[in-house]
Amino acid sequence: MDKPAYLEFDPDSRSVRLDPHEASFVQDPYPAYAFLHASCPVFFWENFGLWCLAGYDEVNRTFRDRRFGRERPGGYMANVLATGDRSHLADFDRAEAGSMLELEPPVHTRLRTLVNRAFVSRQVERLRPRAERLAHELIDRFERDGEADLIPDFATPLPATIIAEMMGLPAETGPQLVAWSNDMVRMYMHAPTREIAEQANASARAFSAFIRHHAEERRRTPGDDLLSVLTAAHESGEKLSEDELVSSAILLLNAGHEATVHQTGNAIRAILWQGGDPRRFFSTPEATAATVEECLRFDAPLHMFTRYAYEDVEIAPGIQLRSGEQVALLLGAANNDPAAFELPREFNPSRADQKNVSFGAGIHFCIGAPLARLEMQAALKVLFERLPAIRLAEEPRYRDIYHFHGLERLVCRW
């Protein structure tokens, strides 16, 4: 496998220099992943200062290995404060510190149990008619124009509206929730600037105030929604502190749309690249489900997730991770590992080896996976049935925001 010109590799130290902002890599990371699979699927990424796992088996196994976890040893706040002056991120850190995504049992178990019931498959299936109806409503708005950017006009409002409604928040607040979320997740990109950090903090502060305001309303008039569940748990005085309530609500709102927006855009691009009538991928419910799974594997919305080692662990022969150190799991690479998938860069919904890790695995398996799958099944099927002649109006470009992998624009015509 040829080495991309922008990648430097030292086989002796298993060290890689690869700028995650390199334009060629941002637009198509898969040639780099292919080289790493062939040369060194466990490597030290100098730009991040982390050992990385690119192989499917290694990533899947580490997700499930309880010697690794999301929670920083010593706690979130102790760790971030040890990195230097974080006063400009005080509101962001407060919102993140109570997130179940950053915690391990028993606290993680307590928080996840509170909201899990709303996201199990049988509950989520009730939302399919709403998702289909919303997809039709969105297409109604732009169908006559003959052209639209499907990221803001379709991929974003559908999951943002549904998660807002599940939380019991006004659907018209969706664009503001998306804006706050976008600002906050930029903190996960490589080397965020001070300007990005300050904007993330301002958005976290506004987002937190918004949740506290609506939680106060739920105390007075509870409803049949997730925010009411969280508020009741806080009121019990045992299950949820106020900071945990705010963090949990922000996490659900952010995670409830962010990755789905990216994945929907990536999926539309991938399907249109195949040419022909896109409706062939959605001829039956089974075909629709298989197509969505292949979209999740083929061009995942999240390419890096990290774990802390809770003891000294050998992650590969001769590579020792010390307790407290991080390891990066490269989901986009794992989903395209030729050792796990036959012809991984071929789009094949009927493949027998479908086992993507786009939602993670183990106790942190994405709680919203059933919802994301349903939203994509509904949205894509309706889109291509309504607009079978749809085509790309320009070559879509990906945003420069590794770990996330999603399009800046997706302008289509029909």
Side-chain angles (χ1 to χ4, degrees):
M1 181 58 61
D2 293 337
K3 181 177 73 64
Y6 54 76
L7 186 154
E8 298 176 22
F9 174 57
D10 181 353
D12 294 330
S13 63
R14 292 187 266 198
S15 171
V16 168
R17 287 196 61 80
L18 169 57
D19 182 356
H21 303 288
E22 163 62 42
S24 297
F25 179 71
V26 170
Q27 298 309 316
D28 185 6
Y30 299 105
Y33 292 158
F35 171 78
L36 292 166
H37 282 307
S39 305
C40 193
V42 180
F43 63 94
F44 187 79
W45 196 337
E46 291 187 13
N47 304 71
F48 284 99
L50 295 173
W51 283 100
C52 299
L53 307 178
Y56 175 87
D57 287 341
E58 290 79 6
V59 167
N60 187 42
R61 184 170 59 248
T62 304
F63 268 134
R64 303 169 189 272
D65 190 334
R66 297 300 298 135
R67 296 176 297 174
F68 298 89
R70 280 291 298 172
E71 187 169 352
R72 294 161 171 80
Y76 181 96
M77 293 307 297
N79 276 263
V80 297
L81 293 175
T83 63
D85 181 16
R86 295 269 296 195
S87 57
H88 62 295
L89 280 167
D91 296 292
F92 176 86
D93 285 337
R94 186 178 181 187
E96 290 288 290
S99 169
M100 74 178 83
L101 188 63
E102 305 295 337
L103 299 167
E104 292 295 314
V107 179
H108 171 269
T109 307
R110 173 169 56 82
L111 296 179
R112 187 169 175 123
T113 300
L114 281 172
V115 299
N116 187 60
R117 191 179 301 110
F119 290 96
V120 295
S121 297
R122 63 182 178 276
Q123 288 292 106
V124 165
E125 185 59 34
R126 299 178 182 180
L127 296 171
R128 190 178 296 274
R130 172 57 176 145
E132 292 173 345
R133 187 168 65 253
L134 183 55
H136 281 291
E137 291 171 1
L138 292 169
I139 295 169
D140 287 343
R141 297 176 188 175
F142 56 71
E143 182 177 16
R144 291 184 180 179
D145 298 336
E147 178 179 302
D149 181 350
L150 295 184
I151 298 300
D153 292 346
F154 187 72
T156 301
L158 193 148
T161 299
I162 288 178
I163 191 61
E165 291 175 349
M166 288 179 71
M167 291 294 292
L169 300 171
E172 59 269 21
T173 64
Q176 180 60 78
L177 301 178
V178 169
W180 286 332
S181 174
N182 288 344
D183 289 342
M184 292 180 69
V185 300
R186 287 190 181 95
M187 282 301 296
Y188 291 101
M189 69 186 293
H190 177 258
T193 65
R194 177 68 178 237
E195 181 181 4
I196 288 172
E198 290 178 350
Q199 184 58 55
N201 193 66
S203 291
R205 181 170 58 252
F207 209 157
S208 298
F210 174 87
I211 295 299
R212 288 189 173 92
H213 168 74
H214 284 278
E216 184 60 36
E217 290 186 343
R218 291 305 181 283
R219 291 186 181 98
R220 293 192 297 268
T221 54
D224 183 21
D225 55 66
L226 273 171
L227 189 55
S228 292
V229 170
L230 296 177
T231 303
H234 169 56
E235 289 296 289
S236 73
E238 297 177 0
K239 296 182 179 178
L240 209 62
S241 70
E242 183 174 353
D243 281 352
E244 287 173 337
L245 185 160
V246 172
S247 294
S248 296
I250 289 176
L251 172 64
L252 291 171
L253 287 161
N254 287 356
H257 82 275
E258 187 78 34
T260 307
V261 171
H262 298 321
Q263 184 61 81
T264 301
N266 296 357
I268 294 169
R269 176 183 183 268
I271 289 167
L272 292 180
W273 262 23
Q274 308 312 307
D277 189 337
R279 291 175 295 184
R280 70 187 186 278
F281 294 113
F282 304 91
S283 57
T284 66
E286 294 76 18
T288 298
T291 297
V292 166
E293 291 307 299
E294 180 66 346
C295 290
L296 286 161
R297 183 203 67 80
F298 185 76
D299 199 19
L302 183 65
H303 277 217
M304 178 188 279
F305 224 97
T306 57
R307 289 287 188 271
Y308 288 91
Y310 293 150
E311 59 185 72
D312 293 352
V313 183
E314 188 175 62
I315 58 173
I319 301 177
Q320 187 84 0
L321 204 68
R322 299 297 183 189
S323 177
E325 292 181 336
Q326 281 184 291
V327 62
L329 284 59
L330 304 187
L331 281 62
N335 283 342
N336 286 271
D337 182 355
F341 301 96
E342 183 179 2
L343 301 174
R345 291 315 294 157
E346 285 194 6
F347 186 83
N348 178 16
S350 63
R351 65 172 57 250
D353 53 4
Q354 182 57 264
K355 49 185 183 290
N356 69 78
V357 290
S358 295
F359 292 117
I363 68 166
H364 284 286
F365 180 79
C366 177
I367 197 170
L371 177 62
R373 285 182 164 118
L374 181 144
E375 289 171 339
M376 289 181 60
Q377 291 166 12
L380 295 174
K381 180 177 174 60
V382 169
L383 177 71
F384 291 120
E385 286 181 347
R386 288 280 302 270
L387 304 173
I390 192 170
R391 65 192 187 279
L392 296 173
E394 60 184 45
E395 179 59 32
R397 293 190 60 78
Y398 289 90
R399 296 195 301 164
D400 176 11
I401 187 170
Y402 201 83
H403 319 332
F404 289 98
H405 181 67
L407 298 168
E408 290 180 336
R409 288 159 51 85
L410 181 59
V411 182
C412 295
R413 293 186 184 129
W414 47 90

